[in-house]
Amino acid sequence: MRDHVDFVLSQWRDQCPGLDVSAMAVFSRLFRLHTLAAREVDTAFRKHSLHQGEFDVLATLYRSGPPHTLNPQALVSALLLSSGAMTNRLDRLEQAGLLAREPNPDDRRGVMVSLTPQGLRAIKAVLGDYLAELEQLLAPLPAADRKQLATLLRRLLTAHDRQSPGAIGPGKP
């Protein structure tokens, strides 16, 4: 079975016969899959008037467990964002009534970010549609292949996470 990447790689091999393009076989597919997946899951987010980044904030708060509250720095770390980008997301979500910022009881200079009841309802609603889209994207793969793919990607990501500045280590966000 051949795909578009096979066609592109054959063109590269024709034009540059001595060039090793084997890394492109993996990353071109990852990039194409990312684009396709982003487009597909975006439909789930749009149904709920959200964008990917807003979903990420709501999901991070939700999966942190009750009371679904974190400080902005924990969110920045978990989502690998700049503080400015996080502030913009928090502003939009607060204006939409999906989260609230309250003074941090342990640090009077800081704030805590919490899901509102409306935000909790929103993340629960979008989560089902999001997971359905992901399931549809993985439908061509049987369970064993999914598990193997997840294992290989984990191995690749952990190696890079350990080497990169600001890396995410085990047990960290």
Side-chain angles (χ1 to χ4, degrees), residues 43-55:
T43 58
F45 300 142
R46 279 195 312 268
K47 280 192 234 176
H48 300 275
S49 302
L50 291 173
H51 296 286
Q52 171 79 50
E54 295 163 341
F55 168 82

Side-chain angles (χ1 to χ4, degrees), residues 123-159:
I123 189 60
K124 287 179 178 180
V126 72
L127 190 57
D129 290 340
Y130 173 68
L131 291 172
E133 290 293 342
L134 295 181
E135 191 61 39
Q136 185 67 28
L137 287 162
L138 285 173
L141 297 178
D145 288 353
R146 292 178 188 198
K147 187 174 181 178
Q148 181 182 16
L149 179 59
T151 298
L152 293 171
L153 291 171
R154 179 186 308 109
R155 188 181 315 156
L156 187 61
L157 285 171
T158 11

Side-chain angles (χ1 to χ4, degrees), residues 1 19 33 60 67 81 85 96 111 117 140 154 163 168:
M1 175 176 9
L19 191 63
L33 185 59
T60 302
L81 291 173
V111 298
R154 179 186 308 109
Q163 297 168 5
I168 300 173

Side-chain angles (χ1 to χ4, degrees), residues 62-121:
Y62 181 58
R63 63 187 166 80
S64 73
H68 309 295
T69 300
L70 294 169
N71 66 46
Q73 188 53 46
L75 288 166
V76 164
S77 295
L79 299 174
L80 301 176
L81 291 173
S82 69
S83 59
M86 180 56 68
T87 298
N88 288 336
R89 287 184 189 180
L90 295 179
D91 288 346
R92 287 192 311 267
L93 289 166
E94 188 173 36
Q95 288 169 359
L98 301 177
L99 61 78
R101 288 185 265 203
E102 303 288 334
N104 184 338
D106 300 325
D107 177 4
R108 60 192 190 114
R109 296 172 296 157
V111 298
M112 297 300 287
V113 179
S114 302
L115 285 177
T116 62
Q118 182 182 346
L120 191 56
R121 284 190 302 275

